């Protein structure tokens, strides 16, 4: 009987984000007649697509008991590099050569840049034993500075309709960013639930020493995960740049906090080893719905930040309480 | 059996690297292209001149349409009685959404001179005439003469608005503003932006294209 009660408690704690989302939707729906409309539904999904990409990468990092504070800056740099290469290419005056980039080429270069920055994060964390908080905080500044250098502080705009399709287009009645984020989620779920790498990520987060003793190449796994997080931040950067038809030097500021919030609200433990991609997706939807609801209800942007902060705090407190009980 | 395993282990990486190399080559082939730098620069020097386009657009397309624009008092009366008819007959926009633009003309008395605009009283309503910040796409889009499909770059489309607004600021607003006094009668023609879904006729701002 006791076991059944325990099981029910565990199941209920797993359902908490879903219940929170349901209650949130209900409250906003009652207060605003614009909330339950088809256009607003797609609007919310389109808005959370970028955060989902960042949060999926962040989940993998947090599952290993790490953190990546650089995702917002990496997003900006990769978006700027993609936009810059696509619009201006590379000029080699000494060779009288112009290297132009197609949309595919510029996008690949952007994602590759993100992966390289992520790889660098992982390398610094594993090789020099720098705490992930510090290493990625440093990368946050480095990437932002590189973005300013690349863009000279000015937006790179006028990228054209072909480029805009990625962020504003529709495919089979669904916005393209939603397709991209869905593909990212599907790949991440497959990676975390069905591959050796996924099991290693959970094992390292659960107990790093035990994982080391059981023969897992911890450094390799960490580098791979930070590389993936960097690449996903770059995908987010492509979507933001495409949606705005412009690479803004200050794009992505504060996005790392939204992605950490989505991860925490989704039930992934900051101490690692516990959580899921699906939970994070729910967390990102909750953050998105909350943002959307506060806008629809004409809440001041300053109050929006206060409310979001308290929601994150509440999620952590509930997570702690669940950990104690279970 | 171990031999077979060994053989398989050796073959598999080659196959993997082979397929990988082909994929990388296909991606690279479709990712970059090479041209002579001189040729690219020569093309760039003949790029779209938004300022010249805006000047011609104002003179040849916008001005004739302004001459036959509806009186603002008549338009707002129609908007209050039959919103859909007014929007269908007189509004234009190049983008989707609820914001649509109208060309209008009218006459009113200046009742207040503000930092960024003038308040004027027409026979039927109070309006503001923008004086400081001439921005947005109202002038470009309101005539319905601006054909977005002729442009391949979004930046060019935006630059037309920007140059048109600059032109109006320099040639219409600046000469008029220092002479404007409370009590003066002003004849204006320009554009207004209205939200079809959330129509608000109490705070109409006219972006002027002509002031007398």
């Amino acid at each position: 009987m006791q076991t059944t009660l325990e099981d029910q408690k565990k199941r209920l704690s797993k359902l908490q984000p879903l219940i929170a989302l349901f209650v949130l939707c209900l409250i906003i729906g009652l207060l605003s007649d614009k909330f339950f409309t088809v256009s607003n539904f797609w609007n919310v999904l389109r808005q959370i697509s970028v955060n989902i990409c960042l949060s999926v990468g962040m989940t993998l990092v947090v599952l290993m008991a790490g953190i990546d504070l650089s995702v917002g800056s990496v997003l900006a740099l990769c978006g700027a590099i993609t936009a810059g290469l696509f619009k201006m290419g590379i000029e080699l005056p000494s060779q009288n050569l112009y290297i132009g980039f197609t949309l595919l080429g510029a996008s690949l270069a952007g994602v590759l840049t993100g992966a390289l920055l992520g790889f660098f994060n992982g390398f610094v964390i594993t090789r020099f034993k720098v705490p992930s908080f510090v290493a990625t905080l440093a990368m946050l500044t480095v990437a932002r500075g590189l973005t300013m250098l690349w863009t000279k502080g000015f937006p790179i705009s006028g990228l054209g309709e072909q480029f805009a399709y990625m962020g504003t287009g529709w495919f089979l009645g669904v916005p393209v960013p939603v397709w991209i984020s869905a593909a990212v989620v599907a790949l991440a779920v497959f990676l975390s639930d069905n591959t050796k790498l996924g099991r290693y990520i959970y094992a390292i987060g659960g107990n790093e020493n035990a994982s080391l003793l059981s023969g897992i190449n911890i450094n390799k796994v960490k580098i791979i995960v930070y590389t993936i997080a960097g690449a996903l931040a770059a995908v987010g950067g492509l979507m933001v740049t495409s949606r705005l038809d412009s690479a803004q030097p200050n794009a992505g500021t504060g996005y790392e906090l939204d992605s950490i919030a989505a991860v925490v609200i989704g039930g992934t433990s900051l101490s690692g080893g516990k959580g899921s991609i699906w939970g994070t997706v729910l967390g990102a939807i909750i953050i998105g719905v909350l943002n959307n609801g506060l806008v629809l209800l004409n809440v001041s942007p300053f109050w929006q930040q206060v409310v979001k902060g308290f929601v994150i705090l509440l999620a952590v407190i509930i997570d702690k309480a669940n950990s104690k009980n279970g | 059996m171990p031999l077979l395993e060994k053989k398989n282990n050796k073959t598999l990486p080659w196959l993997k690297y082979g397929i990988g190399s082909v994929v990388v080559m296909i991606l690279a082939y479709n990712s970059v292209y090479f041209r002579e730098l001189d040729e690219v620069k020569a093309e760039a020097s003949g790029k779209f001149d938004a300022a010249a386009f805006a000047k011609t657009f104002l003179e040849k397309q916008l001005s004739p349409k302004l001459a036959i624009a509806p009186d603002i008092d008549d338009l707002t009366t129609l908007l209050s009685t039959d919103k859909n008819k007014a929007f269908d007959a007189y509004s234009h926009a190049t983008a989707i959404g609820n914001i649509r633009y109208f060309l209008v003309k009218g006459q009113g008395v200046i009742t207040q001179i503000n930092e960024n605009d003038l308040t004027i009283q027409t026979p039927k309503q109070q309006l503001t005439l923008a004086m400081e910040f001439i921005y947005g796409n109202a002038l470009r889009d309101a005539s319905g003469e601006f054909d977005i499909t002729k442009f391949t770059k979004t930046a060019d489309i935006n630059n037309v608005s920007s140059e048109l607004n600059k032109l109006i600021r320099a040639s219409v607003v600046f000469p008029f503003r220092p002479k404007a006094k409370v009590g003066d009668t002003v004849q204006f023609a320009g554009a207004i932006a209205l939200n079809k879904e959330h129509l608000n006729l109490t705070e109409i701002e006219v972006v002027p294209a002509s002031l007398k």
Side-chain angles (χ1 to χ4, degrees), chain A residues 140-152:
Chain A
L140 177 150
T141 314
V142 170
R144 185 64 65 189
L146 289 174
T147 311
M148 292 295 174
L149 284 171
W150 177 261
T151 60
K152 298 183 178 71

Side-chain angles (χ1 to χ4, degrees), chain A residues 173-246:
Chain A
V174 175
V176 174
V178 178
W179 282 111
I180 296 173
S181 58
V184 165
V185 169
L187 284 173
V189 168
F190 177 77
L191 183 139
S192 65
D193 295 356
N194 299 88
T195 66
K196 229 192 300 185
L197 178 67
R199 285 192 290 278
Y200 289 170
I201 290 169
Y202 278 96
I204 292 170
N207 190 330
E208 192 167 325
N209 287 333
S211 305
L212 185 68
L213 291 171
S214 60
I216 297 174
N217 186 342
I218 290 175
N219 289 353
K220 189 177 163 186
V221 173
K222 281 188 176 178
I223 288 175
I224 292 173
V225 168
Y226 279 99
T227 306
I228 293 171
L232 290 179
V235 173
L238 296 189
M239 286 200 276
V240 170
T241 308
S242 166
R243 193 167 179 207
L244 299 175
D245 187 30
S246 157

Side-chain angles (χ1 to χ4, degrees), chain A residues 88-106:
Chain A
M88 294 170 286
I90 297 172
E91 291 179 2
L92 299 173
S94 60
Q95 314 289 319
N96 190 27
L97 185 67
Y98 171 82
I99 306 172
F101 284 77
T102 62
L103 179 58
L104 173 71

Side-chain angles (χ1 to χ4, degrees), chain A residues 91 96 98 100-102 105 158 245, chain B residues 30-33 35 37-38 154:
Chain A
E91 291 179 2
N96 190 27
Y98 171 82
F101 284 77
T102 62
D245 187 30
Chain B
N30 288 295
S31 294
V32 290
Y33 56 92
R35 290 176 68 189
L37 188 58
D38 293 343
T154 318

